[in-house]
Amino acid sequence: MKPKLPYLITLLFAITINACSPEENTSIAPEDTNEFIYSNISYPLTSAIINNDNNTNSLGIRLFNKTSSQITSNVDLDDIAYVYFDLGTESIQNTTYNNIENYAISINGSIVDSEFNPETILLSSNDPDSDVYAQSGSVTVTNFTAYNIVFTFTFTRNDGQIITGSYDGNYLAPNGIN
């Protein structure tokens, strides 16, 4: 009976080592999260509001790190991350939009007396000579339904900084959309 004991100990040792070995990384990468990234810092995006600009008759998308009910509640808010871009079209399609002329991204903003006040401006279409102006930008919509929108965006500023982001979720459309 003694000759079998070393084999049994070796077998138990091998099972223990195998059970403790690291598993292979076969997990699927997580889906894009609702965020934008600037200078390796991630800023969460919680809600989207899509509205039609009556002056240009084109659709704009606004993203916030607050819920749409907080944004539309007429309550003062602070520490707002904000993303805006005008798609320059009357309807949203599953396509890439490369001609984004009106856009803005800011952090640490606030809403006081129902008026939005950006604090730290990361991207703005107001001054073509400034570092925060985008030399290029695109928005790729991959899914748009009556209740959900999925898209990614990338802007490269004049100073070479890149801002990327994605959103996958419900949206509020107070004026209705096509």
Side-chain angles (χ1 to χ4, degrees), residues 126-133 158:
N126 289 339
D127 181 6
D129 295 324
S130 73
D131 285 344
V132 298
Y133 190 83
N158 279 344

Side-chain angles (χ1 to χ4, degrees), residues 129-175:
D129 295 324
S130 73
D131 285 344
V132 298
Y133 190 83
Q135 56 180 277
S136 65
S138 66
V139 176
T140 301
V141 178
T142 56
N143 189 32
F144 180 66
T145 67
Y147 305 103
N148 186 274
I149 187 166
V150 180
F151 60 89
T152 59
F153 57 92
T154 301
F155 289 92
T156 302
R157 299 179 356 163
N158 279 344
D159 64 2
Q161 291 282 336
I162 297 172
I163 300 174
T164 62
S166 62
Y167 184 82
D168 179 350
N170 294 336
Y171 61 87
L172 176 66
N175 299 341

Side-chain angles (χ1 to χ4, degrees), residues 78-154:
D78 58 4
D79 194 30
I80 297 173
Y82 172 73
V83 175
Y84 165 74
F85 42 83
D86 185 333
L87 295 177
T89 183
E90 295 178 16
S91 64
I92 297 176
Q93 305 296 318
N94 294 342
T95 190
T96 298
Y97 298 91
N98 289 310
N99 191 18
I100 310 295
E101 294 181 9
N102 295 316
Y103 48 83
I105 298 178
S106 64
I107 55 174
N108 303 321
S110 63
I111 295 178
V112 177
D113 295 329
S114 300
E115 185 174 323
F116 176 70
N117 304 298
E119 180 65 28
T120 305
I121 297 172
L122 304 178
L123 191 72
S124 173
S125 59
N126 289 339
D127 181 6
D129 295 324
S130 73
D131 285 344
V132 298
Y133 190 83
Q135 56 180 277
S136 65
S138 66
V139 176
T140 301
V141 178
T142 56
N143 189 32
F144 180 66
T145 67
Y147 305 103
N148 186 274
I149 187 166
V150 180
F151 60 89
T152 59
F153 57 92
T154 301

Side-chain angles (χ1 to χ4, degrees), residues 17-81:
I17 293 295
N18 192 32
C20 294
S21 67
E23 295 179 16
E24 289 184 34
N25 187 5
T26 59
S27 63
I28 298 172
E31 291 184 27
D32 292 335
T33 57
N34 295 350
E35 67 182 356
F36 73 90
I37 299 171
Y38 170 74
S39 193
N40 293 323
I41 299 173
S42 172
Y43 299 91
L45 297 170
T46 305
S47 63
I49 299 175
I50 302 174
N51 62 335
N52 192 351
D53 182 344
N54 292 329
N55 294 330
T56 62
N57 203 24
S58 64
L59 293 173
I61 298 176
R62 288 173 169 73
L63 303 165
F64 300 92
N65 65 330
K66 308 290 184 186
T67 65
S68 57
S69 62
Q70 288 175 307
I71 295 297
T72 59
S73 69
N74 294 327
V75 174
D76 291 353
L77 296 171
D78 58 4
D79 194 30
I80 297 173

